[in-house]
Amino acid sequence: MIKTKKLGVIVAVDGQISNVGMYEMTNDADLIWFGDILTGPKIGAFLTINQNDIKIIASVITEKVLDQQNTIKSTEFDNRYSKNSINRVIQIKTRGVIINKQFEVTSSFVPMIGNEITLTTQEELKIIYSIKHDEPVIHIGYSILENQPVQLSINNFFASHIGIFGNTGSGKSNTLHKLYLELFKSDFKDKIFEKSQFFIVDFNGEYTGKDLFNGNFNKKKVFNINTRGDKTDKIFVTKKYFFDADILSILFDARPATQVPFLRNAIETFNNISNQGEFNFGTFVTGIVKKILTTGNSTIQNSLQEWTNTAKKFVNNPQIFNNIDQITRYENGHYKIIGSTQFTGSDAFISTGTVAAVSSQKWKYLNLISNENSNHDIPSAINEQWNKSSEINKLNMFLYFQRIHSIAWGKINPEHINPLFSRIESSLKSLEEIIEIKDNISSDYRAINIFNLVHANQEITRLVPMLISKMFYDGQKAMVSGKSVTQTKHLIIDEAHNILNAEHKSIGDDWQDYRMAVFEEIIKEGRKFGFYLTLSSQRPADISPTVMSQIHNYIIHRLVNEKDLRMLENTMPTLDKSSYQIIPSLGKGEAIITGNAMQVPVFVRIPKEGKNSRPNSDDVKLTDIWN
């Protein structure tokens, strides 16, 4: 039988809080007891309440001294703080119970006055920090006070939404990497890479090292997104998710009342014709010209010139457009052609259809919709350009021609729609560099996928996380809906405050509203579909309260900002006041782990990996630079 060190007796009980009268003024931080080094009764330490064969585990939350001899406030009887006048009183909070060598959180047993308090033994500590003997675990670090190994249940921790928070330099990047490194080193690593995918959004380029996440060269792929240089990797996106009216409306910053309806109609038509297989885009858009030439005054006067300019923008073939260049003005309900009467090789254009009144030899009729000669006619030239264009360029061409169609008959005011196209041009040009549209992307992503956005511009950094998150979440949801979960996806976002800041909602930021709606759906519904979110941030107060409230497990490093601390206090019901108050004084690499996967909050020291095997987030040493 293991002998225990008796410390005192319970003298008051108030719910989970009990007062303990100590037998002596022991103030040693650690005590040697039968060869074991045990933690003394200091703030945060575990103590054991003995109740017959039941061991109730509690932790110290406050301590004070009680003056026993001086109860009259008079200088004549002032015995305060004399050797025999005071006693030590500590407050403890019940955490759980050890029954049959298992630690459980239960209210079946409560402290009672007269129960003796003892130091928690090494054997009891191992039971508190251990998981059930058949539970798969990873090792994350050591408890700060007792130096006991801290293990995390793979099932309870990783099948949840995780939040890792801490100030710059507190160790959160190392913790994020350590968490998944240990998972990838576990006994389940082969099946993990077969059944699950991990997508890491890296804003600062910290996780791109070749040895990170245990190497795994054949299982890992880094997408280096660079909008400021010549070379960049491309992100693979399916047509279904890129050609989405909501995403493109937000991307182009379309105005809800005047520009979004145009985009919705245009993208719906674009998706319909894209699914037709063999489609002659040249014939499709020259139909606009035929209608313009045959409706006269019913169209806006410069519609034909606008169409010509648009065609020339996308088709670099001067010979095709030699004759059209003569079109300069619209008079009396007709398009006039001014200039030379010699139309070399123009039979394809002058076939049938009365278009303009003939007043002299300089006026000729023009038919732009002939398909008699594929070497000369405009429809074939446009269709050829369409077929060899990327999917993004096809969208750009289509939107420009749809603009002509909508403006020509007064469906849309040019002053409303024209500003949109400068944004379309800029956005699609940026996206063309970093996105490749494909029908199927299942073979383009590996088990571990890291999106390095450190060299991406602001437009891309706000688009990519939302785009890939929605794409992979919707794919997972469609695969699992109505079925059991056989595969999982894990989205990991470092510096999450960059894209999950809820403050912009109040100033009408449509982009932010849509993005927040996407992530709030993921964090509310994702767990049931096997889609899990891990967020890391130095500013938890900047993250949407809705998102924060749905996190199941937390790893909290040092935080000192009052707003950040208040956010955590409001969203972490498993963290008591005494533990919460310790957060600002945590050292580098020290953290509190709490949540659904933990029976009690655990203060843990998380070790660093080797220099080449940890994130590129070490503090800069100026003296090394200056030496």
Side-chain angles (χ1 to χ4, degrees):
M1 181 176 179
I2 299 176
K3 294 183 179 181
T4 55
K5 170 69 173 175
K6 297 179 180 180
L7 298 177
V9 63
I10 292 180
V11 296
V13 179
D14 184 5
Q16 290 184 310
I17 308 299
S18 303
N19 288 354
V20 179
M22 303 295 285
Y23 289 147
E24 55 188 82
M25 281 297 297
T26 302
N27 62 350
D28 294 319
D30 298 298
L31 298 170
I32 299 178
W33 187 250
F34 285 87
D36 288 333
I37 299 177
L38 303 180
T39 303
K42 57 189 176 183
I43 300 294
F46 287 115
L47 296 179
T48 301
I49 304 170
N50 296 280
Q51 197 175 90
N52 298 326
D53 293 333
I54 303 300
K55 296 182 181 296
I56 302 174
I57 303 299
S59 62
V60 180
I61 57 175
T62 66
E63 58 177 325
K64 61 182 178 180
V65 294
L66 181 66
D67 185 352
Q68 297 181 104
Q69 294 185 13
N70 186 54
T71 57
I72 302 174
K73 294 185 178 180
S74 168
T75 56
E76 298 177 14
F77 301 97
D78 192 355
N79 295 312
R80 284 176 296 179
Y81 310 123
S82 63
K83 183 176 181 181
N84 298 317
S85 176
I86 61 174
N87 196 4
R88 185 181 185 193
V89 177
I90 64 173
Q91 275 194 329
I92 58 176
K93 182 176 182 179
T94 303
R95 298 298 185 184
V97 179
I98 294 179
I99 306 176
N100 299 324
K101 295 186 177 182
Q102 292 288 336
F103 180 75
E104 298 178 8
V105 177
T106 176
S107 57
S108 299
F109 303 92
V110 295
M112 300 176 67
I113 292 177
N115 290 155
E116 280 195 308
I117 307 299
T118 60
L119 283 177
T120 302
T121 65
Q122 290 282 4
E123 181 180 347
E124 291 166 349
L125 287 171
K126 289 177 181 178
I127 293 173
I128 294 169
Y129 284 116
S130 69
I131 312 292
K132 293 179 181 179
H133 70 279
D134 59 344
E135 180 75 16
V137 297
I138 64 167
H139 175 259
I140 192 65
Y142 295 88
S143 61
I144 294 174
L145 295 179
E146 304 88 4
N147 202 36
Q148 288 291 316
V150 175
Q151 297 174 323
L152 301 177
S153 165
I154 291 178
N155 289 317
N156 293 335
F157 207 86
F158 290 99
S160 74
H161 301 312
I162 303 168
I164 303 173
F165 304 111
N167 290 149
T168 299
S170 63
K172 67 180 183 304
S173 297
N174 179 70
T175 295
L176 189 154
H177 175 254
K178 177 75 172 176
L179 190 66
Y180 284 94
L181 173 65
E182 294 299 325
L183 178 66
F184 298 153
K185 288 165 58 179
S186 70
D187 295 337
F188 302 90
K189 58 185 177 183
D190 292 334
K191 286 297 182 181
I192 286 173
F193 295 140
E194 181 181 326
K195 297 290 186 179
S196 297
Q197 284 183 296
F198 301 82
F199 304 95
I200 303 165
V201 179
D202 182 6
F203 285 100
N204 296 328
E206 296 180 6
Y207 304 93
T208 58
K210 66 177 183 178
D211 294 327
L212 268 67
F213 300 110
N214 204 27
N216 295 306
F217 301 112
N218 59 333
K219 303 294 184 182
K220 181 175 70 173
K221 187 170 184 178
V222 177
F223 295 86
N224 292 303
I225 310 305
N226 188 347
T227 58
R228 302 184 177 101
D230 297 329
K231 186 177 181 181
T232 183
D233 295 326
K234 290 202 172 186
I235 298 173
F236 303 101
V237 179
T238 60
K239 287 183 180 179
K240 178 180 179 181
Y241 293 104
F242 184 77
F243 298 129
D244 178 271
D246 289 327
I247 290 178
L248 292 176
S249 295
I250 298 298
L251 175 64
F252 301 149
D253 194 20
R255 301 298 178 261
T258 56
Q259 297 170 353
V260 169
F262 163 77
L263 275 177
R264 288 193 180 280
N265 292 332
I267 293 167
E268 181 181 358
T269 305
F270 175 79
N271 287 330
N272 288 337
I273 67 172
S274 296
N275 295 328
Q276 291 181 16
E278 291 294 328
F279 175 76
N280 193 311
F281 182 71
T283 301
F284 177 77
V285 296
T286 49
I288 300 173
V289 178
K290 180 179 179 181
K291 192 173 182 181
I292 290 173
L293 292 170
T294 56
T295 53
N297 286 328
S298 63
T299 60
I300 304 300
Q301 293 186 7
N302 64 345
S303 298
L304 185 58
Q305 187 63 55
E306 287 287 338
W307 188 96
T308 303
N309 292 340
T310 299
K312 291 169 66 178
K313 175 183 176 66
F314 293 105
V315 181
N316 184 20
N317 191 331
Q319 183 179 358
I320 288 290
F321 295 104
N322 278 342
N323 298 325
I324 299 183
D325 286 340
Q326 305 298 324
I327 301 175
T328 59
R329 69 179 186 269
Y330 178 90
E331 294 179 0
N332 301 321
H334 303 289
Y335 289 99
K336 289 187 175 181
I337 305 172
I338 302 174
S340 172
T341 61
Q342 298 178 4
F343 293 136
T344 305
S346 60
D347 293 342
F349 303 103
I350 313 173
S351 54
T352 60
T354 302
V355 178
V358 180
S359 58
S360 69
Q361 291 298 318
K362 292 184 178 180
W363 308 107
K364 295 292 182 180
Y365 301 142
L366 180 65
N367 188 329
L368 296 174
I369 57 173
S370 171
N371 284 299
E372 297 173 3
N373 188 338
S374 60
N375 294 323
H376 296 286
D377 69 276
I378 291 174
S380 296
I382 294 177
N383 196 56
E384 181 183 354
Q385 181 64 38
W386 169 269
N387 289 333
K388 68 182 182 181
S389 295
S390 67
E391 294 296 330
I392 290 178
N393 278 334
K394 283 182 180 179
L395 175 65
N396 196 26
M397 287 177 65
F398 182 83
L399 290 176
Y400 267 91
F401 280 109
Q402 281 297 102
R403 168 178 164 270
I404 303 303
H405 182 271
S406 298
I407 290 176
W409 287 273
K411 295 179 180 178
I412 292 179
N413 189 327
E415 294 181 359
H416 293 161
I417 202 70
N418 286 342
L420 173 66
F421 276 80
S422 61
R423 299 193 294 272
I424 289 176
E425 190 84 18
S426 172
S427 297
L428 292 184
K429 183 178 180 181
S430 296
L431 289 170
E432 177 71 14
E433 297 176 1
I434 63 104
I435 285 180
E436 183 173 338
I437 308 296
K438 302 182 72 172
D439 291 323
N440 191 316
I441 59 171
S442 58
S443 62
D444 295 302
Y445 290 101
R446 300 180 186 174
I448 305 171
N449 304 277
I450 302 169
F451 300 92
N452 176 17
L453 301 175
V454 69
H455 297 299
N457 60 31
Q458 185 178 11
E459 190 172 42
I460 295 303
T461 56
R462 72 176 188 169
L463 169 69
V464 168
M466 185 271 293
L467 188 64
I468 62 174
S469 299
K470 179 173 173 58
M471 181 174 66
F472 292 125
Y473 170 69
D474 285 354
Q476 179 74 9
K477 183 178 178 180
M479 179 178 67
V480 172
S481 186
K483 305 174 185 176
S484 60
V485 177
T486 58
Q487 294 181 322
T488 66
K489 288 183 172 60
H490 305 255
L491 177 63
I492 303 162
I493 304 178
D494 192 29
E495 305 297 347
H497 54 274
N498 287 328
I499 59 170
L500 297 181
N501 191 325
E503 290 183 359
H504 296 297
K505 278 190 162 187
S506 61
I507 59 174
D509 187 335
D510 296 327
W511 172 269
Q512 190 73 5
D513 288 352
Y514 181 77
R515 184 168 55 198
M516 290 307 305
V518 168
F519 280 100
E520 287 177 3
E521 180 185 354
I522 288 174
I523 205 160
K524 288 177 182 177
E525 308 294 336
R527 191 176 184 182
K528 69 179 73 170
F529 300 117
F531 194 96
Y532 306 108
L533 191 61
T534 296
L535 305 178
S536 174
S537 175
Q538 57 185 287
R539 291 306 311 272
D542 286 348
I543 296 177
S544 160
T546 302
V547 172
M548 289 290 293
S549 66
Q550 297 297 318
I551 292 175
H552 307 113
N553 291 295
Y554 297 84
I555 303 179
I556 311 300
H557 287 272
R558 183 173 184 263
L559 285 167
V560 296
N561 184 278
E562 192 63 32
K563 287 180 63 178
D564 295 328
L565 292 170
R566 281 200 302 270
M567 169 62 79
L568 294 180
E569 186 179 25
N570 294 333
T571 56
M572 290 194 305
T574 56
L575 196 63
D576 59 80
K577 185 176 181 180
S578 59
S579 299
Y580 167 80
Q581 291 174 337
I582 295 175
I583 293 175
S585 60
L586 290 170
K588 192 169 186 176
E590 296 178 347
I592 300 175
I593 304 179
T594 184
N596 298 345
M598 309 300 296
Q599 299 197 78
V600 294
V602 177
F603 292 84
V604 61
R605 183 180 293 107
I606 301 172
K608 276 188 174 183
E609 296 297 313
K611 185 173 180 59
N612 295 327
S613 303
R614 63 174 183 258
N616 183 24
S617 60
D618 289 354
D619 293 339
V620 173
K621 291 185 178 180
L622 291 176
T623 52
D624 288 348
I625 298 175
W626 295 335
N627 186 11

